[in-house]
Amino acid sequence: MAIRKIVKVGDDILTKKAKTVDKFDKKISVLIDDMFSTMYEAEGVGLAAPQVGMLKRIVVIDVGEGPVEMVNPVIVEQSGEQTCKEGCLSVPGLTGEVTRPEKVKVKAVNRKGQEVEYEAEGLFAVCICHELDHLDGILFKDKANKLYDEDDQEIVNGQDVM
Ligand code: NI
């Protein structure tokens, strides 16, 4: 398993729509393993394939309850609302308050193409929404109600920051 380079904000790939995975081969398996290694090494709780330069609909998540991989994930149900402070490995030095659903149900497949389903709430739900946004070229800072700099100071006129 290799550590891949994490793409940072400013790179076009982070604003593009990722492609559906239709071939479940060794390459996909290696990519997913590398994504987990890269996420753990960077001490993140989630990572989407575009963040390692691959425009594929794959995310990996571990919010402390063990590794979860989702290929071609789709949120099929959502309810409630929660506002949390989020950061992103691709957007260093910035955090932001984002409002997301409190609960989501997501359907996906694993690396073998087998169907999986997750019901998530709290941080897990936030993380799923954040990572799935990456697959559509959306960053948390685009949705944030408030943005904070690396000293945790609120950034006023946040739209102009990046
Ligand atoms: Ni992110």
mmCIF file of all heavy atoms in Angstrom, residues 14 46-48 51 86-91 130-131 134 138-140, ligand 1:
data_model
loop_
_atom_site.group_PDB
_atom_site.id
_atom_site.type_symbol
_atom_site.label_atom_id
_atom_site.label_comp_id
_atom_site.label_asym_id
_atom_site.label_seq_id
_atom_site.Cartn_x
_atom_site.Cartn_y
_atom_site.Cartn_z
ATOM 1 N N LEU A 14 -10.260 19.101 -8.379
ATOM 2 C CA LEU A 14 -11.157 19.157 -7.213
ATOM 3 C C LEU A 14 -12.505 19.783 -7.541
ATOM 4 O O LEU A 14 -13.426 19.741 -6.737
ATOM 5 C CB LEU A 14 -10.494 19.919 -6.062
ATOM 6 C CG LEU A 14 -9.293 19.252 -5.411
ATOM 7 C CD1 LEU A 14 -8.685 20.166 -4.359
ATOM 8 C CD2 LEU A 14 -9.645 17.911 -4.794
ATOM 9 N N GLY A 46 -11.802 10.972 6.308
ATOM 10 C CA GLY A 46 -12.391 10.617 5.031
ATOM 11 C C GLY A 46 -11.530 11.115 3.890
ATOM 12 O O GLY A 46 -10.755 12.068 4.056
ATOM 13 N N LEU A 47 -11.650 10.441 2.753
ATOM 14 C CA LEU A 47 -10.891 10.859 1.572
ATOM 15 C C LEU A 47 -11.655 10.407 0.330
ATOM 16 O O LEU A 47 -12.202 9.306 0.291
ATOM 17 C CB LEU A 47 -9.495 10.208 1.599
ATOM 18 C CG LEU A 47 -8.455 10.745 0.614
ATOM 19 C CD1 LEU A 47 -7.986 12.148 1.011
ATOM 20 C CD2 LEU A 47 -7.243 9.818 0.533
ATOM 21 N N ALA A 48 -11.708 11.274 -0.668
ATOM 22 C CA ALA A 48 -12.363 10.954 -1.931
ATOM 23 C C ALA A 48 -11.301 10.820 -3.019
ATOM 24 O O ALA A 48 -10.269 11.501 -2.972
ATOM 25 C CB ALA A 48 -13.355 12.061 -2.293
ATOM 26 N N GLN A 51 -9.239 13.554 -4.576
ATOM 27 C CA GLN A 51 -8.209 14.157 -3.715
ATOM 28 C C GLN A 51 -6.844 13.501 -3.888
ATOM 29 O O GLN A 51 -5.841 14.031 -3.409
ATOM 30 C CB GLN A 51 -8.620 14.077 -2.240
ATOM 31 C CG GLN A 51 -9.812 14.939 -1.899
ATOM 32 C CD GLN A 51 -10.124 14.856 -0.416
ATOM 33 O OE1 GLN A 51 -10.838 13.962 0.008
ATOM 34 N NE2 GLN A 51 -9.577 15.755 0.376
ATOM 35 N N GLU A 86 -16.068 21.786 9.863
ATOM 36 C CA GLU A 86 -15.380 20.821 9.017
ATOM 37 C C GLU A 86 -14.059 21.365 8.519
ATOM 38 O O GLU A 86 -13.870 22.572 8.412
ATOM 39 C CB GLU A 86 -16.243 20.493 7.774
ATOM 40 C CG GLU A 86 -17.559 19.862 8.113
ATOM 41 C CD GLU A 86 -18.398 19.544 6.873
ATOM 42 O OE1 GLU A 86 -17.840 19.452 5.754
ATOM 43 O OE2 GLU A 86 -19.613 19.390 7.039
ATOM 44 N N GLY A 87 -13.167 20.439 8.240
ATOM 45 C CA GLY A 87 -11.931 20.768 7.559
ATOM 46 C C GLY A 87 -11.769 19.790 6.418
ATOM 47 O O GLY A 87 -12.615 18.924 6.232
ATOM 48 N N CYS A 88 -10.687 19.946 5.651
ATOM 49 C CA CYS A 88 -10.476 19.064 4.503
ATOM 50 C C CYS A 88 -8.988 18.955 4.244
ATOM 51 O O CYS A 88 -8.285 19.971 4.273
ATOM 52 C CB CYS A 88 -11.192 19.646 3.294
ATOM 53 S SG CYS A 88 -10.999 18.663 1.803
ATOM 54 N N LEU A 89 -8.530 17.737 3.977
ATOM 55 C CA LEU A 89 -7.095 17.530 3.722
ATOM 56 C C LEU A 89 -6.629 18.293 2.484
ATOM 57 O O LEU A 89 -5.448 18.588 2.343
ATOM 58 C CB LEU A 89 -6.794 16.036 3.561
ATOM 59 C CG LEU A 89 -7.045 15.176 4.812
ATOM 60 C CD1 LEU A 89 -6.875 13.695 4.483
ATOM 61 C CD2 LEU A 89 -6.116 15.583 5.950
ATOM 62 N N SER A 90 -7.578 18.637 1.604
ATOM 63 C CA SER A 90 -7.217 19.389 0.392
ATOM 64 C C SER A 90 -7.272 20.897 0.588
ATOM 65 O O SER A 90 -6.930 21.650 -0.318
ATOM 66 C CB SER A 90 -8.152 19.003 -0.764
ATOM 67 O OG SER A 90 -7.924 17.671 -1.149
ATOM 68 N N VAL A 91 -7.768 21.322 1.767
ATOM 69 C CA VAL A 91 -7.904 22.757 2.031
ATOM 70 C C VAL A 91 -7.218 23.091 3.361
ATOM 71 O O VAL A 91 -7.874 23.376 4.355
ATOM 72 C CB VAL A 91 -9.397 23.177 2.077
ATOM 73 C CG1 VAL A 91 -9.533 24.703 2.068
ATOM 74 C CG2 VAL A 91 -10.191 22.586 0.915
ATOM 75 N N HIS A 130 -19.728 15.165 3.104
ATOM 76 C CA HIS A 130 -18.520 15.909 2.707
ATOM 77 C C HIS A 130 -17.784 15.162 1.585
ATOM 78 O O HIS A 130 -17.421 15.761 0.565
ATOM 79 C CB HIS A 130 -17.625 16.080 3.944
ATOM 80 C CG HIS A 130 -16.310 16.743 3.684
ATOM 81 N ND1 HIS A 130 -15.960 17.943 4.280
ATOM 82 C CD2 HIS A 130 -15.239 16.401 2.910
ATOM 83 C CE1 HIS A 130 -14.744 18.284 3.867
ATOM 84 N NE2 HIS A 130 -14.285 17.370 3.048
ATOM 85 N N GLU A 131 -17.601 13.858 1.771
ATOM 86 C CA GLU A 131 -16.843 13.086 0.770
ATOM 87 C C GLU A 131 -17.622 12.950 -0.536
ATOM 88 O O GLU A 131 -17.033 13.037 -1.620
ATOM 89 C CB GLU A 131 -16.469 11.706 1.309
ATOM 90 C CG GLU A 131 -15.594 11.704 2.557
ATOM 91 C CD GLU A 131 -14.397 12.636 2.492
ATOM 92 O OE1 GLU A 131 -13.851 12.858 1.391
ATOM 93 O OE2 GLU A 131 -14.014 13.177 3.548
ATOM 94 N N HIS A 134 -17.225 15.867 -2.730
ATOM 95 C CA HIS A 134 -15.969 15.862 -3.505
ATOM 96 C C HIS A 134 -16.170 15.199 -4.875
ATOM 97 O O HIS A 134 -15.537 15.593 -5.858
ATOM 98 C CB HIS A 134 -14.876 15.084 -2.760
ATOM 99 C CG HIS A 134 -14.104 15.886 -1.755
ATOM 100 N ND1 HIS A 134 -13.320 16.972 -2.112
ATOM 101 C CD2 HIS A 134 -13.958 15.749 -0.414
ATOM 102 C CE1 HIS A 134 -12.746 17.460 -1.020
ATOM 103 N NE2 HIS A 134 -13.113 16.753 0.020
ATOM 104 N N ILE A 138 -17.450 19.610 -5.316
ATOM 105 C CA ILE A 138 -17.845 20.622 -4.325
ATOM 106 C C ILE A 138 -16.981 20.497 -3.075
ATOM 107 O O ILE A 138 -16.790 19.394 -2.553
ATOM 108 C CB ILE A 138 -19.341 20.449 -3.947
ATOM 109 C CG1 ILE A 138 -20.216 20.623 -5.188
ATOM 110 C CG2 ILE A 138 -19.742 21.426 -2.843
ATOM 111 C CD1 ILE A 138 -21.631 20.098 -5.021
ATOM 112 N N LEU A 139 -16.465 21.621 -2.609
ATOM 113 C CA LEU A 139 -15.658 21.642 -1.385
ATOM 114 C C LEU A 139 -16.479 22.247 -0.245
ATOM 115 O O LEU A 139 -17.391 23.042 -0.486
ATOM 116 C CB LEU A 139 -14.386 22.467 -1.599
ATOM 117 C CG LEU A 139 -13.419 21.917 -2.659
ATOM 118 C CD1 LEU A 139 -12.269 22.888 -2.871
ATOM 119 C CD2 LEU A 139 -12.885 20.549 -2.280
ATOM 120 N N PHE A 140 -16.126 21.880 0.993
ATOM 121 C CA PHE A 140 -16.905 22.362 2.151
ATOM 122 C C PHE A 140 -16.943 23.884 2.205
ATOM 123 O O PHE A 140 -17.927 24.481 2.635
ATOM 124 C CB PHE A 140 -16.349 21.782 3.465
ATOM 125 C CG PHE A 140 -15.136 22.496 3.991
ATOM 126 C CD1 PHE A 140 -15.264 23.535 4.902
ATOM 127 C CD2 PHE A 140 -13.869 22.154 3.562
ATOM 128 C CE1 PHE A 140 -14.154 24.216 5.381
ATOM 129 C CE2 PHE A 140 -12.759 22.826 4.039
ATOM 130 C CZ PHE A 140 -12.896 23.862 4.932
HETATM 131 NI NI NI B 1 -12.507 16.999 1.968
#
